[in-house]
Amino acid sequence: MFLTSAFQMAARQIRRHGMRSALTTLGVVIGTAAVIAMVTLGRGTTARISDEIGKIGRNLLFVAPGAPRHGAAHGRVTAFALEDARAIAREVRGLVAVAPTAMAPVLAVYGNNNWRTMLSGVDHNFLVVREWTLATGRAFQAGEERSGAAVCILGDTVRGNLFVGEEPLGRSIRVANVSCEVIGVLASRGRSTMGEDQDDLVLMPLLAVQRRIAGNQDVGAILVSAADGESTARIQEDITRLMRQRRHITGDKEDDFAVRDLKELADLAARTTGILTTLLAAIAAVSLLVGGIGIMNIMLVSVTERTREIGIRLAIGARAREILLQFLIEAVVLSAMGGVLGIGVGLGGSYLAARALELPFVIDVPIVIIAFVFSAAVGVSFGFFPARKAARLDPIVALRFE
Amino acid sequence: MIAVRAELPAPPLVELQGVDKVYGRGDAEVHALRGVDLGISAGEFVAIMGASGSGKSTCMNILGCLDVPTSGRYLFRGVDVATLTHDQRALLRRNFIGFVFQGYNLLPRTSAVENVELPLTYRGVERAERHRRALAALRDVGLEGRELHTAAELSGGQQQRVAIARAIVSGPDLLLADEPTGNLDTARSLELMRLITTLNQERGLTVIMVTHENDIAAFASRVIRFRDGAVVPGKGA
């Protein structure tokens, strides 16, 4: 009963001091909005990364020379050979496809246009492991792969930069001074989570790259895709054992290659984003606390201003706890209002930001509820001190207060 | 038997027994009240007079259960107020005492009817009922048609009438008026005193009023004078 009146009194008080109430809640609005925005954008990024895992190709393992402890750029690196990839395909169980690749940075030229890009020497398995389809044209034929024919498939970015308003199929471009015919264009994949353009590449048969451009038999990396339901950990182990054997690494000598589970890497990235999200949300929560201090400040002013009113209420029989409740409810209504507004602003802002950053917009309902409860809790904790001050007033002193 | 009982003096509504009130400590000690004995029966209209610093305000605070004696006893309807907790005294004020102050003390920017409803809010009276009773109380003090005016839109005399309506809306036993006419001109003062007298006579409302104007005190049926924290012996006491 009294609670209803207390809410009505709080609402009236807040309406009466519209501007002041608005400015007071601003801190809570900003704090809540920041928490909501951080979490929403963080969840969006995580969702984007999960999506990315699918794009890279499910159950994808990446075998590269170079000790795992140093990157590929350090130490002596012994490249793989085509036979290594064949051995993996032959001897490791539970694989869908094994794609040996050889990469080289190249300049691609068509007419007056040129474009610096990455050339990948691959075979037909590459499109299988990367779960990549062609927008137009065709994949490499077995004969072209065997002979190392000068044909190429363009990533969408390369196509766009070399062929402005022109059909690329059947045209001849120069890749590192080797002339080759465009037989296909890859479907566009856009940017990866790390911001790297996945469509900026040119594919050529592995043998063509090795012979015509690299001038060696090296295979830079081997992509392996595991069948659904197979343990990537087991496959990782099998490949490691096989490669150690083939590369004559015995005893407890360190591997001079690394077998990475891309899903693991992506999971790690997702986990990292999760931690960052929590961290940013925690920092944003600090501003919510600062907002609470603003409320406490104004409530203290309000208690002083309304000392006489408190005196009247005490004289006509309000108990200390009823005065406490009245001011506490006022603080909670203020901060909860700020919370609701902040949730609105946070969701609206992150919707716009998600669109601008091309992230999925994911509303995290539990966080929205937690943010609301937290903002109300800020009102309780920061409203308590002023409310107690009001409740402890001596009615005689309060009535005489000028 | 019945006749005998009727002739017995009515038990006092409020009674002070040897009440002392001391403020401060050590050298700063101030004896506001010294051994005050006082009894006021239900239905009386008592005026308390005295110079400032005579202890009359302290006495009012104690009578109104806003303060407690340092020593001695204050019995309200036979209950020793000093034994009550803060909250119990608040409930006592809520249920039995109405206050009228010199400075009206209405809530600012709040309509007359809402001011009058306030005590009922704390008594847990339902909204519609609260409103109905507040309107009735405003009618009783002659403010029909002014219900929605705020304090700033009312004259001093009207504000004090709202204050009286607020004091009587919950049907108290005792009305404590602390210089109710202190801020009013003579005509308004007389009007207000007539209103208070009517409430005393028609409703049997016990009134204790502090004033230092003789013509205002003349409305009371008994005058008690304070000097230096004690009641001046005489016909009032």
Side-chain angles (χ1 to χ4, degrees), chain B residues 113-192:
Chain B
V113 67
E114 283 172 316
N115 263 292
V116 177
E117 280 182 30
L118 199 60
L120 301 177
T121 308
Y122 289 107
R123 295 182 115 197
V125 177
E126 209 187 317
R127 201 177 186 182
E129 171 70 4
R130 214 157 70 199
H131 197 69
R132 197 186 60 72
R133 279 164 70 173
L135 290 179
L138 282 170
R139 201 165 49 237
D140 290 346
V141 298
L143 280 179
E144 219 165 0
R146 298 275 193 284
E147 292 90 349
L148 297 179
H149 291 220
T150 63
E153 297 163 344
L154 294 170
S155 72
Q158 288 169 332
Q159 286 188 54
Q160 197 61 298
R161 280 163 186 272
V162 175
I164 289 175
R166 181 177 67 191
I168 62 167
V169 72
S170 53
D173 289 357
L174 176 62
L175 178 71
L176 289 176
D178 193 356
E179 302 200 35
T181 59
N183 291 4
L184 301 178
D185 62 29
T186 312
R188 301 287 160 270
S189 295
L190 293 179
E191 270 177 36
L192 194 79

Side-chain angles (χ1 to χ4, degrees), chain B residues 15-154:
Chain B
E15 191 171 12
L16 298 178
Q17 295 176 345
V19 165
D20 282 326
K21 183 68 193 182
V22 183
Y23 294 111
R25 270 182 203 167
D27 289 345
E29 209 172 78
V30 176
H31 263 84
L33 292 178
R34 299 165 192 270
V36 173
D37 291 309
L38 191 62
I40 293 167
S41 305
E44 274 198 275
F45 184 171
V46 177
I48 293 179
M49 298 190 74
S52 27
S54 62
K56 60 185 194 308
S57 292
T58 304
C59 185
M60 280 296 266
N61 288 338
I62 289 173
L63 288 172
C65 301
L66 293 169
D67 208 346
V68 286
T70 309
S71 64
R73 302 212 304 164
Y74 169 38
L75 303 178
F76 187 95
R77 292 178 139 208
V79 176
D80 188 352
V81 173
T83 63
L84 302 180
T85 64
H86 248 84
D87 279 357
Q88 286 172 321
R89 276 188 280 136
L91 291 178
L92 205 147
R93 290 197 295 274
R94 176 185 299 185
N95 292 314
F96 301 109
I97 303 175
F99 288 90
V100 175
F101 308 95
Q102 177 178 0
Y104 325 130
N105 275 340
L106 301 181
L107 296 190
R109 291 186 283 183
T110 303
S111 70
V113 67
E114 283 172 316
N115 263 292
V116 177
E117 280 182 30
L118 199 60
L120 301 177
T121 308
Y122 289 107
R123 295 182 115 197
V125 177
E126 209 187 317
R127 201 177 186 182
E129 171 70 4
R130 214 157 70 199
H131 197 69
R132 197 186 60 72
R133 279 164 70 173
L135 290 179
L138 282 170
R139 201 165 49 237
D140 290 346
V141 298
L143 280 179
E144 219 165 0
R146 298 275 193 284
E147 292 90 349
L148 297 179
H149 291 220
T150 63
E153 297 163 344
L154 294 170

